[in-house]
Amino acid sequence: MDRREFNSVWGPVLGACLGLSAGAAQALSLESLSQADASKGLKEALEQGTKAAVSQLGQPDGFLGNEKVRIPLPGYLHDAAALLRTLGQGQRLDELVTAMNRAAEAAIPLARDLLLGAVRGMGVSDAKKILGGGDTSVTAFFAEKTRSPLSQKFLPVVTRSTEKVGLADKYNQLAGRAAELGLLQREDASIQQYVTGKALDGLYLVIGEEERKIRRDPVGTGSALLGKVFGALK
């Protein structure tokens, strides 16, 4: 989108956020928008949501006790769980589920600084996508900016937590062979990679939920800036 298109589409929205007339909004340039209240308000909202999500998930039962993000058994184990329980493997399956979710809870605090860095480094184009996007716009932003580096930070923590469960190694052996045959996705062929991916999915989901709370009740946040920006977008 060139500058003329940007101003014609986003000028009125950002003008409303800033309390400007339509004519003044049209005159806003990309350079001036980088310091606009709309961008600052969005950053403040995402910082609040990020901190709340990390605090909520990075504690005991943050994943295990939350059905929305609780990490289930992967692949073949999930499909075969009923049969395995009849064969006396129920306790081991439960131990694995607990270990996977505890691993995610232990890893989540590592995400705080990187997520906040992504928010503070947000540019005009990122803000525009989120302000005008749907329910997945926040998830898409964080996934693009942080998923790869967070995967690298999470994996050692997840590995230490899951390697204590013998069933995890057996799953990896079976799943590795299944992946080679094209029967299983590569990312699900390792318990550690599976848990890491699910932990990030849960984290982005909860951050998105926190942002939606702010969008629904911006005044309730106690921030005049958030009330001004998101109140104008309602």
Side-chain angles (χ1 to χ4, degrees), residues 169-215:
D169 288 337
K170 291 184 178 179
Y171 171 84
N172 286 348
Q173 293 173 11
L174 292 172
R177 289 197 289 270
E180 291 175 359
L181 297 173
L183 301 175
L184 192 67
Q185 294 183 351
R186 284 287 178 184
E187 57 267 29
D188 291 343
S190 159
I191 284 282
Q192 292 78 14
Q193 292 178 350
Y194 170 78
V195 172
T196 296
K198 291 295 185 183
L200 289 170
D201 290 343
L203 176 60
Y204 299 144
L205 173 68
V206 173
I207 291 174
E209 289 182 340
E210 292 296 325
E211 189 218 2
R212 284 192 287 278
K213 290 179 185 177
I214 293 171
R215 286 180 183 266

Side-chain angles (χ1 to χ4, degrees), residues 9-24:
V9 175
W10 283 89
V13 175
L14 292 168
C17 295
L18 298 170
L20 300 174
S21 66

